[in-house]
């Protein structure tokens, strides 16, 4: 990283490319450099401003008036560029337009409506773990657990049909790549966009959804007049975009964390009630969602600098989640710490509306594993999956010690 001088006074400049393969393979050194360079850094390659310290990331996340989402939360500025798909009513909207969809989805995915899923998902997780262990104790945890469990429970919970579910992961992978620059990761997904978007769009229709899932609950809100019938399909699309890859990569993050911290696995086995907190600590530690952008609606002072109106600001959630100014011994994965306040689910008005679903999935899997598995270790070198937004694994070979 070369630090030079910025077009804006008092802002350090970096020519680093956060979306290069080298950085995506191991972003931690870049995170530290950006945090230490100052409260805000100009990234000359993209002409955007970056914040990597906890205080500034948190401040930007909770300040939706000055850091808007409606111009898109990727590098592309919707004020001047055409989005690759119609904007999300939740993610890419600000109050007041954001409020009704958010209120509805908050209720559909809230702890109260998830209560009816808890027992079924626990049983599903136990069945999956028993079936996996019956086949052997050495396997690739990415397809076998991290992908298998969300794909087993989440599409059913939304209420989509059986056909075409293999489209969910590639669609989400492309959507999260599309928040970055139009690099090779975006190019490799572009040819499937018509097919994948077409399939996703079909799943969002009322007729395509079962009568008792999250999708039907969104349509019921339209019937009650809480949202319009035009809004309902786009909100189902939000579930299918943001609800699959995120939980898959969060589960592989936690499995990797435990495979590399055997003492912490022993703690969980001794006290499975730690599962919920363990998931949040893993989200803090690995930050499956690494980054996204806001756009300034006015000149905004950050530190000694003024970011001009209409500029993209890149928020490094992952760097904030390991900022030593906020966290003691931030690189330690530690079930004893209180991870609350991490920004892995964002913060403020747009904070992840699906986080209770994600926690329930993780709790089910961890609890089922803790019942039978005494040790988890890597059985070979894990392999990263590169995505412009997500920190992910393609392969995580593990060896389990079982009772
Ligand atoms: O509404 C949506 O389609 C949607 C897509 C992506 C909502 C949220 C996200 C997202 C989640 C984006 C985490 C960045 C980080």
């Amino acid at each position: 990283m070369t630090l030079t001088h910025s077009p804006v006074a008092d802002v350090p400049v970096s020519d680093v490319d956060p979306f290069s393969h080298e950085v995506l393979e191991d972003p931690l050194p870049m995170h530290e450099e950006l945090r230490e360079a100052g409260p805000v850094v100009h990234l000359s390659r993209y002409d955007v401003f970056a914040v990597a310290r906890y205080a500034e990331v948190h401040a930007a996340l909770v300040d939706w008036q000055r850091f808007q989402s409606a111009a898109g939360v990727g590098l592309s500025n919707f004020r001047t560029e055409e989005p690759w798909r119609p904007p999300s009513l939740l993610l890419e909207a600000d109050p007041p337009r954001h409020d009704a969809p958010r209120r509805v989805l908050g209720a559909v995915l809230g702890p109260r409506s998830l209560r009816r899923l808890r027992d079924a998902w626990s049983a599903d997780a136990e069945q999956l773990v028993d079936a996996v262990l019956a086949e052997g104790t050495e396997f690739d945890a990415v397809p076998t657990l991290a992908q298998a469990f969300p794909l087993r429970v989440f599409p059913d919970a939304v209420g989509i049909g059986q056909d075409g579910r293999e489209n969910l992961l590639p669609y989400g992978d492309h959507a999260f790549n599309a928040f970055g620059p139009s690099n090779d990761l975006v190019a490799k997904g572009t040819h499937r966009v018509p097919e994948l978007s077409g399939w996703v769009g079909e799943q969002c229709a009322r007729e395509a959804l079962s009568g008792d899932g999250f999708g039907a609950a969104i349509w019921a809100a339209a019937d009650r007049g809480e949202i319009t019938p035009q809004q309902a399909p786009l909100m189902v699309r939000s579930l299918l975009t943001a609800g699959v890859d995120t939980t898959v990569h969060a589960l592989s993050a936690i499995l990797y964390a435990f495979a590399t911290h055997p003492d912490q696995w022993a703690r969980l086995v001794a006290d499975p009630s730690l599962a919920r907190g363990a998931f949040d600590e893993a989200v803090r530690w690995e930050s499956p969602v690494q980054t996204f952008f806001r756009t300034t609606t006015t000149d905004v002072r950050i530190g000694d600098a003024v970011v001009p109106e209409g500029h993209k600001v890149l928020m490094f959630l992952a760097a904030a989640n390991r900022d030593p100014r906020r966290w003691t011994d931030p690189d330690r994965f530690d079930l004893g710490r209180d991870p609350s306040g991490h920004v892995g689910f964002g913060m403020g008005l747009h904070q992840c509306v699906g986080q209770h679903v994600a926690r329930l999935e993780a709790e089910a899997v961890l609890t089922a594993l803790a019942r039978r598995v005494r040790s988890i270790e890597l059985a070979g070198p894990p392999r990263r999956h590169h995505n412009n937004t997500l920190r992910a694994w393609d392969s995580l070979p593990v060896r389990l010690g079982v009772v």
Side-chain angles (χ1 to χ4, degrees):
M1 178 161 101
T2 327
L3 285 174
T4 53
H5 242 73
S6 144
V8 173
D10 301 317
V11 182
V13 179
S14 167
D15 66 354
V16 74
D17 181 358
F19 307 101
S20 68
H21 285 281
E22 186 195 344
V23 170
L24 294 176
E25 184 64 26
D26 178 14
L28 298 179
M30 180 200 64
H31 291 161
E32 183 173 1
E33 287 182 72
L34 291 175
R35 269 194 314 257
E36 296 315 310
V40 60
V41 181
H42 185 250
L43 300 184
S44 54
R45 201 174 286 255
Y46 299 111
D47 187 22
V48 301
F49 293 85
V51 288
R53 295 184 183 174
Y54 181 87
E56 281 73 22
V57 169
H58 187 278
L61 284 169
V62 298
D63 188 353
W64 58 267
Q65 289 97 336
R66 296 193 302 164
F67 295 88
Q68 66 164 183
S69 293
V73 305
L75 176 62
S76 167
N77 189 333
F78 294 179
R79 298 184 193 179
T80 54
E81 289 170 84
E82 176 94 18
W84 70 280
R85 60 175 201 168
S88 163
L89 302 177
L90 291 130
L91 179 75
E92 292 150 342
D94 298 303
R97 290 167 35 125
H98 165 267
D99 298 339
R102 171 70 193 214
R103 203 174 310 118
V104 166
L105 214 52
V108 169
L109 304 178
R112 289 175 61 86
S113 43
L114 296 186
R115 264 191 300 218
R116 66 181 181 90
L117 293 172
R118 171 176 288 271
D119 291 345
W121 285 10
S122 297
D124 275 323
E126 289 190 4
Q127 265 177 27
L128 175 65
V129 167
D130 286 345
V132 167
L133 294 179
E135 291 286 306
T137 53
E138 220 177 294
F139 52 86
D140 187 340
V142 170
T144 310
L145 289 173
Q147 295 181 348
F149 188 70
L151 287 174
R152 177 172 175 140
V153 298
F154 187 73
D156 283 347
V158 176
I160 66 170
Q162 294 296 327
D163 286 353
R165 290 182 176 196
E166 69 280 4
N167 292 326
L168 287 166
L169 284 169
Y171 181 77
D173 194 52
H174 182 72
F176 282 95
N177 275 327
F179 294 121
S182 54
N183 57 15
D184 61 309
L185 290 167
V186 175
K188 83 170 156 66
T190 301
H191 71 285
R192 291 198 67 195
V193 165
E195 168 209 351
L196 294 175
S197 292
W199 178 82
V200 167
E202 288 164 19
Q203 311 313 306
C204 299
R206 185 199 288 266
E207 309 73 56
L209 294 158
S210 70
D212 60 352
F214 300 145
I218 289 170
W219 278 101
D223 292 340
R224 293 192 301 270
E226 297 168 13
I227 50 167
T228 68
Q230 290 74 38
Q231 290 177 311
L234 275 179
M235 291 172 59
V236 180
R237 191 194 70 175
S238 287
L239 300 182
L240 299 178
T241 309
V244 186
D245 298 66
T246 47
T247 51
V248 165
H249 300 317
L251 281 175
S252 41
I254 198 165
L255 292 169
Y256 173 71
F258 279 122
T260 52
H261 297 75
D263 54 329
Q264 299 304 306
W265 183 254
R267 257 170 115 164
L268 182 75
V269 169
D271 180 4
S273 76
L274 294 174
R276 253 181 130 67
F279 179 63
D280 271 277
E281 170 63 353
V283 170
R284 180 199 69 80
W285 186 72
E286 185 81 334
S287 299
V289 175
Q290 294 270 293
T291 49
F292 48 84
F293 295 80
R294 294 288 191 249
T295 307
T296 50
T297 57
T298 179
D299 293 357
V300 181
R301 173 168 292 281
I302 304 180
D304 292 331
V306 175
V307 175
E309 189 277 336
H311 268 73
K312 286 280 171 175
V313 176
L314 177 54
M315 304 176 296
F316 282 90
L317 310 184
N321 279 338
R322 291 188 183 215
D323 183 352
R325 295 163 191 78
R326 169 64 179 79
W327 309 97
T328 310
D329 215 351
D331 295 331
R332 261 181 63 91
F333 171 68
D334 179 3
L335 299 200
R337 97 162 66 233
D338 176 6
S340 58
H342 76 75
V343 290
F345 288 119
M347 197 54 77
L349 200 73
H350 287 282
Q351 194 183 37
C352 179
V353 72
Q355 60 182 290
H356 308 289
V357 183
R359 285 208 186 85
L360 194 60
E361 288 182 30
E363 206 183 342
V365 171
L366 286 179
T367 307
L369 284 171
R371 214 168 42 94
R372 295 206 45 200
V373 175
R374 289 297 159 265
S375 65
I376 307 181
E377 58 182 345
L378 291 178
R383 194 174 67 246
R384 284 282 174 194
H385 174 77
H386 293 184
N387 180 285
N388 282 333
T389 303
L390 302 170
R391 187 136 168 85
W393 293 107
D394 260 336
S395 173
L396 208 51
V398 292
R399 186 179 305 115
L400 307 187
V402 299
V403 288

